[in-house]
């Protein structure tokens, strides 16, 4: 006779049984199928990390609650990324010169802008190797943070950490002149 399933085994079985329902629920909440899929996959990853002796009274409630927390964390991370990207865009405009000016830049301004841009490129090349690679993949190649994380085999939080570090270094060096 098979022993009674553990709470973790019940949770895993409930996840498999309700995966499609979870996906539909988070698609309706996020209005973004890719984001909803990320949430549902992250739920599974969290389950895989749980201790075998975990106590869970209501596996369905656990799944939806965990998914809601994951979704909120992803939204917060997206907002932080938008703020960082906006700061980077502002830094690019500052480094290259005001691209939206009503007048054409003078020859001197063009030379100064090129020199500033070359200094910025030099500073990027001076970043630590891993930070530089992540920064270039995201900012120059246009990959999302998730795509960079996937292609390099690291977590998204690692990508975020390196991008934040790169921006801090570049901003600090820009202040130094």
């Amino acid at each position: 006779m098979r022993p009674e399933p553990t709470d973790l085994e019940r949770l895993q079985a409930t996840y498999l049984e309700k995966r499609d329902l979870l996906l539909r629920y988070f698609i309706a909440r996020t209005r973004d199928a890719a984001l909803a899929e990320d949430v549902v996959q992250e739920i599974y990853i969290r389950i895989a990390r749980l201790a075998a002796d975990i106590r869970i009274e209501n596996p369905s409630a656990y799944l939806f609650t965990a998914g809601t927390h994951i979704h909120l964390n992803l939204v917060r991370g997206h907002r932080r990324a938008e703020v960082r990207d906006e700061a980077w865009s502002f830094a690019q405009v500052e480094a290259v010169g005001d691209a939206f000016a009503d007048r054409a830049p003078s020859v001197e301004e063009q030379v100064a802008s090129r020199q500033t841009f070359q200094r910025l490129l030099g500073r990027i090349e001076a970043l630590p190797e891993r930070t530089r690679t992540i920064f270039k993949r995201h900012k120059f190649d246009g990959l999302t943070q998730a795509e960079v994380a996937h292609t390099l085999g690291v977590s998204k939080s690692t990508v975020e950490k390196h991008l934040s570090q790169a921006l801090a270094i570049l901003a600090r060096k820009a202040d130094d002149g």
Side-chain angles (χ1 to χ4, degrees), residues 36-107:
E37 184 65 43
D38 288 347
V39 170
V40 173
Q41 287 178 7
E42 187 64 31
I43 293 170
Y44 181 80
I45 291 169
R46 285 201 182 170
I47 292 170
R49 292 179 181 156
L50 292 174
D53 61 349
I54 189 151
R55 305 295 311 157
I56 298 174
E57 293 295 319
N58 185 338
S60 291
Y62 178 91
L63 294 172
F64 284 94
T65 301
T68 298
H69 289 281
I70 291 165
H71 173 244
L72 290 174
N73 287 338
L74 289 172
V75 168
R76 286 183 195 119
H78 180 69
R79 283 190 198 133
R80 284 192 303 268
E82 284 177 346
V83 168
R84 282 191 304 270
D85 289 347
E86 185 177 319
W88 167 245
S89 295
F90 180 75
Q92 283 180 314
V93 168
E94 287 290 311
V96 178
D98 187 355
F100 304 104
D102 290 339
R103 62 175 181 75
S106 69
V107 174

Side-chain angles (χ1 to χ4, degrees), residues 4 12 16 19 21 49 51 54-56 61 75 90-91 98 100 104 109 111 118 121 124-125 136 141 144 151 176:
E4 189 70 25
Q12 290 167 335
L16 293 174
R19 187 184 191 291
L21 177 64
R49 292 179 181 156
I54 189 151
R55 305 295 311 157
I56 298 174
V75 168
F90 180 75
D98 187 355
F100 304 104
E109 290 172 325
V111 170
Q118 289 303 317
L121 290 177
I124 291 169
E125 289 304 316
K136 284 181 165 183
D141 297 343
T144 66
T151 59
D176 296 342

Side-chain angles (χ1 to χ4, degrees), residues 6 10 16 24 40 58 62 81 114 141 158 170:
T6 66
R10 283 187 18 240
L16 293 174
R24 286 192 308 272
V40 173
N58 185 338
Y62 178 91
R114 278 192 215 108
D141 297 343
T158 298
L170 294 173

Side-chain angles (χ1 to χ4, degrees), residues 95-96 106-117 119:
V96 178
S106 69
V107 174
E108 293 83 10
E109 290 172 325
Q110 290 178 23
V111 170
S113 291
R114 278 192 215 108
Q115 289 171 342
T116 301
F117 186 67
R119 281 194 303 273

